Amino acid sequence: DIQMTQSPSTLSASVGDRVTITCRATQSISGWLAWYQQKPGKAPKLLIYKASGLETGVPSRFSGTGSGTEFTLTISSLQPDDFATYYCQQYSSYPLTFGQGTKLEIK
Amino acid sequence: EVQLLESGGGLVQPGGSLRLSCTASGFSFSTYAMGWVRQAPGKGPEWVSTLSSSGSNTYYADSAKGRFTISRDNSKNTLFLQMNSLRADDTAVYYCAKDPAGGSYPYYFDHWGQGTPVTVSS
C-alpha cells in the first residue's frame, strides 16, 4: 500500500499569510493526488485534483504542485474561512490512501 | 446540485450487522462510480470501498474485505454498504462519495454526503 505523510501536522498562521503544506508518498504516484479541506462536523471538500487542478468553485488562492512522491498545497493569502484541516489523497492505485492531516490554526 | 444523503447508521453490538444507504440526486447516478469513506473520531478519512458505475467492479480496503459488501441500485439512485461482523474499530462516520468517473481506474471523490455515524459497542 502507498502511505501518505503530511507535514506539518499543525500549522499556526495569521490572516493574510502564505502557507504551504507538504504531502509525501512512499512511492511514485505520478500526479494522481487530490487535496481536501475539512471543517469540524463536515465532510471533506475537494480542493485540488491531479496535483494542480483547481476544482470548480474553489478560490484561486489555493494551488497545488508536485509529481512523483512530493506534493505541496499552497494558500497564497489566508482568509478566515481557510482555518480547517487539510488532507491529501493518492489515487494512483487501490487502496486509496489519505494523509494524516494538517490542522491550520489561527495564530 | 449534487446531493448525497446517507442513512442507516446507529449503535450496534460487536458482531452485529448494519446496512447503510446513500440516496443520490442532481446528477446521472448510473454514470459514475461511487464509494464509501469512513472517519473514526479524531482521525483522518479512510477509504472503505468503491463500486463502478455498472456495479460490475468492486474494490475494498483490507479492513472491509470479507465483511462489507458494496452494491447499488441504479434504478433508485441508491448506493448501499452491507456491514457484517462489526468490530469496535469500525466505529466511525461513514461518508458516501461520488467518483468523477465511471470506475475503471482509482480516483478521488468530488462530492461527499454529510455522513452517518456508526458506533459498535456493547
Side-chain angles (χ1 to χ4, degrees):
Chain A
D1 298 0
I2 300 172
Q3 307 303 319
M4 308 301 294
T5 302
Q6 291 180 229
S7 59
S9 295
T10 306
L11 180 56
S12 296
S14 301
V15 172
D17 285 354
R18 177 184 179 92
V19 298
T20 297
I21 299 168
T22 297
C23 177
R24 291 185 173 88
T26 52
Q27 65 189 75
S28 177
I29 58 171
S30 187
W32 306 118
L33 186 98
W35 289 97
Y36 300 88
Q37 175 193 68
Q38 187 177 32
K39 296 181 179 179
K42 301 294 187 182
K45 173 189 172 184
L46 177 67
L47 299 175
I48 301 283
Y49 60 91
K50 206 174 178 184
S52 60
L54 191 67
E55 175 67 353
T56 302
V58 174
S60 59
R61 62 181 180 273
F62 291 91
S63 64
T65 62
S67 67
T69 62
E70 187 156 336
F71 302 84
T72 60
L73 173 70
T74 298
I75 309 172
S76 59
S77 178
L78 273 174
Q79 299 301 301
D81 191 51
D82 300 338
F83 292 95
T85 301
Y86 294 84
Y87 295 97
C88 61
Q89 179 227 320
Q90 68 80 20
Y91 54 101
S92 173
S93 63
Y94 286 112
L96 308 178
T97 48
F98 291 81
Q100 83 281 10
T102 295
K103 185 175 183 180
L104 182 52
E105 298 181 330
I106 301 174
K107 184 185 287 185
Chain B
E1 179 192 4
V2 171
Q3 292 195 343
L4 301 170
L5 185 62
E6 302 96 335
S7 60
L11 174 64
V12 61
Q13 291 189 338
S17 297
L18 275 178
R19 189 192 198 203
L20 307 183
S21 299
C22 170
T23 303
S25 61
F27 65 102
S28 177
F29 181 75
S30 62
T31 300
Y32 297 96
M34 298 291 296
W36 291 95
V37 179
R38 69 185 183 182
Q39 190 167 26
K43 302 293 186 181
E46 178 192 13
W47 171 75
V48 175
S49 182
T50 294
L51 179 61
S52 63
S53 57
S54 65
S56 58
N57 296 314
T58 58
Y59 308 90
Y60 294 98
D62 284 348
S63 59
K65 279 179 190 171
R67 300 188 302 129
F68 295 1
T69 302
I70 191 171
S71 62
R72 64 193 296 161
D73 183 341
N74 284 344
S75 69
K76 296 183 178 178
N77 290 355
T78 304
L79 178 74
F80 303 100
L81 185 67
Q82 177 67 43
M83 303 189 295
N84 299 330
S85 304
L86 283 162
R87 311 184 298 228
D89 63 358
D90 294 317
T91 294
V93 174
Y94 284 72
Y95 295 101
C96 165
K98 172 184 168 290
D99 183 304
S104 298
Y105 301 98
Y107 254 100
Y108 53 90
F109 296 107
D110 58 1
H111 291 89
W112 299 57
Q114 87 292 345
T116 187
V118 172
T119 302
V120 184
S121 176
S122 55

